[in-house]
Amino acid sequence: MPNPLNILRNLFRSKPQTPEAPRQAEAPAAPAIPPAAPPDTSAEAPPAPPIENQKSKIKNPPHSFLHLLNEFRIRVHAFAVLLIVSFAGYLAVTYLMHTVFMQPPVPTRFLDWQGRNDAAALRSSSAAGLTTSAERAPLAHYHRTRPWFQPDPRNGCTVSGCHDPLPHTRKQKVPAFANFHATFLACQMCHAPADGGPTAVTWVNITSAQRQPPPAMLQLLRYLDTFSELIPKNPAEAHAAILPLLRGTLTILGDDPALSTMLLQIETSEPGSPVWRQAVDQLTYDLPSYARGEYGAKLAREPQPGSYQETSRTLRNLAQRYLANYSDVPHRKQLHSEIHGSLLKEPVTCLPCHGDSPATLNYESLGYSPRRAKLLGNLQLARLMQQIRQGEQFHLPKLLGSDDAK
């Protein structure tokens, strides 16, 4: 019996069917073999070598000149990169060793002070670090260094070469306190005998050796201290009084950045405005720190006009003659007696000016404010220095709790 499946398969075939030959006995149907899977075309074939590389290989065979030149260029480039990296590593390691493990020396120009403070510089009218600001302060110097010394070209004792501008060196315990007075006191103030009672004293200009009013700085300090309560109430009047005194102070001190800034603020602001008030308050607070004795003038006994200048000229001439006649001993002794004959062997102590009542000096007439004059007339520090000079037992005064600290 024919297989029904074969009959249906033959019916749907497109090609015409030939008459079927008679079959002999039908063989058993072979098992169906599944059709072979189509080849996988998704996998890409290995890329073919570029034609250009093939051409270069053909053009530059391994032993050609261009091939060797290309190899040489590559090796030189690699060697240069190696040198640069090696040099950078060497610099890094050297810098690490010198900055971390070996402390480099500080340049001398940073350690040494740019100014001078020897006797020749102290006699000079212009010396860096003394009369003018130095280029910079040394690293070892804690405080800021500003101009702190004004030489007196009319002082015959120092200009002649006999004494240094800071002459007090014998008393090892008190030389600094005595030298504090060297810039604003004439030598005769302490080394000449006093008449007893208040002494007639005046301010003498160190440049012209002529009398002058109290220095502008002291006048400004006195105004700011005495009229501190009236300045806010009448700023226009205070403005007119402060400006000329502040300009005169800058003329004496030189170009100070802080005071110059305050002057500019006061000049360019409206009296009574917040900017003006702030500048005046700052001036009132900072100006006392500038009052260290560099006023462009000295206190001297002046019974007659011109005597200070004449005395300085006489002492300078005698000193020059004394130094020139070093071989004539008797004549030198005579000149020495003429120079020092009227002077005291021991200078006047501190208490006649800063402890006795009444004091030798009338501080208010010299330009100081009443509060400052009262303080200077009874100074605890002066009594302490007197005890040190005499070798007596002393106790440190309570400066922070008294007016001496102001």
Side-chain angles (χ1 to χ4, degrees):
M1 182 173 179
N3 192 352
L5 293 175
N6 290 336
I7 296 174
L8 291 174
R9 190 181 295 115
N10 291 332
L11 287 176
F12 288 98
R13 284 180 179 174
S14 59
K15 61 181 182 178
Q17 298 291 327
T18 55
E20 211 177 82
R23 296 183 180 180
Q24 298 179 355
E26 186 173 350
I33 301 174
D40 187 8
T41 59
S42 60
E44 297 182 356
I51 300 176
E52 298 174 353
N53 292 346
Q54 296 178 3
K55 290 181 180 180
S56 63
K57 290 182 179 180
I58 296 174
K59 290 182 180 180
N60 303 327
H63 300 290
S64 67
F65 175 75
L66 294 179
H67 177 76
L68 294 176
L69 183 62
N70 188 38
E71 291 290 336
F72 178 74
R73 179 182 61 81
I74 294 174
R75 293 178 184 277
V76 170
H77 181 267
F79 183 71
V81 173
L82 179 62
L83 284 180
I84 294 175
V85 173
S86 301
F87 184 68
Y90 169 75
L91 291 180
V93 173
T94 304
Y95 176 78
L96 181 66
M97 293 294 294
H98 281 280
T99 55
V100 177
F101 300 103
M102 293 185 296
Q103 185 177 4
V106 181
T108 306
R109 61 190 181 92
F110 292 147
L111 291 177
D112 293 342
W113 190 27
Q114 303 299 320
R116 296 169 48 203
N117 58 358
D118 56 299
L122 293 174
R123 292 189 180 96
S124 175
S125 59
S126 178
L130 299 176
T131 59
T132 60
S133 298
E135 181 180 353
R136 65 178 309 281
L139 295 178
H141 200 285
Y142 179 78
H143 297 284
R144 177 186 175 188
T145 55
R146 293 185 294 192
W148 60 274
F149 187 81
Q150 291 178 341
D152 183 3
R154 303 288 182 175
N155 190 344
C157 302
T158 59
V159 175
S160 61
C162 291
H163 299 280
D164 291 337
L166 297 177
H168 306 95
T169 57
R170 291 186 180 181
K171 299 284 186 179
Q172 297 182 358
K173 298 179 180 179
V174 292
F177 287 91
N179 286 329
F180 284 162
H181 299 72
T183 56
F184 62 92
L185 280 185
C187 299
Q188 291 79 7
M189 288 290 297
C190 299
H191 293 273
D195 298 332
T199 303
V201 177
T202 186
W203 287 100
V204 178
N205 189 282
I206 61 175
T207 303
S208 63
Q210 300 294 329
R211 287 183 178 182
Q212 71 163 52
M217 182 188 296
L218 292 183
Q219 296 186 49
L220 181 56
L221 284 170
R222 177 171 183 165
Y223 182 85
L224 294 175
D225 186 17
T226 306
F227 301 101
S228 57
E229 297 180 358
L230 299 178
I231 290 176
K233 299 178 181 179
N234 194 352
E237 181 179 347
H239 184 83
I242 292 174
L243 278 182
L245 295 177
L246 183 54
R247 292 193 189 102
T249 301
L250 279 171
T251 302
I252 297 172
L253 295 180
D255 186 15
D256 183 84
L259 291 181
S260 298
T261 301
M262 297 177 200
L263 175 63
L264 181 63
Q265 292 176 343
I266 295 175
E267 283 180 329
T268 58
S269 58
E270 183 70 20
S273 64
V275 176
W276 185 89
R277 293 178 183 273
Q278 181 181 1
V280 173
D281 291 342
Q282 189 68 32
L283 178 65
T284 305
Y285 180 80
D286 290 345
L287 191 60
S289 64
Y290 289 86
R292 301 185 300 267
E294 286 72 35
Y295 306 133
K298 282 186 173 183
L299 289 174
R301 298 179 183 181
E302 186 71 10
Q304 297 178 356
S307 63
Y308 178 78
Q309 185 176 7
E310 183 63 30
T311 302
S312 299
R313 185 185 300 110
T314 302
L315 290 175
R316 184 169 59 252
N317 294 335
L318 290 174
Q320 291 175 354
R321 291 167 54 190
Y322 175 83
L323 296 175
N325 293 277
Y326 59 88
S327 59
D328 191 352
V329 177
H331 187 52
R332 282 171 62 88
K333 290 184 178 180
Q334 180 183 356
L335 292 173
H336 186 275
S337 300
E338 292 182 20
I339 296 172
H340 302 89
S342 60
L343 301 180
L344 297 173
K345 292 184 178 181
E346 290 293 333
V348 177
T349 62
C350 306
L351 295 181
C353 295
H354 298 293
D356 291 346
S357 182
T360 303
L361 301 179
N362 185 351
Y363 292 103
E364 288 193 47
S365 65
L366 296 175
Y368 294 92
S369 65
R371 185 182 65 84
R372 185 66 177 171
K374 181 180 179 181
L375 171 64
L376 292 175
N378 187 16
L379 202 60
Q380 293 185 31
L381 189 59
R383 299 182 183 278
L384 172 65
M385 296 311 302
Q386 185 65 25
Q387 293 174 347
I388 294 175
R389 291 182 61 179
Q390 296 176 356
E392 299 177 359
Q393 184 181 4
F394 65 92
H395 301 278
L396 294 178
K398 297 180 180 180
L399 295 177
L400 296 181
S402 64
D403 292 336
D404 286 20
K406 299 181 181 179

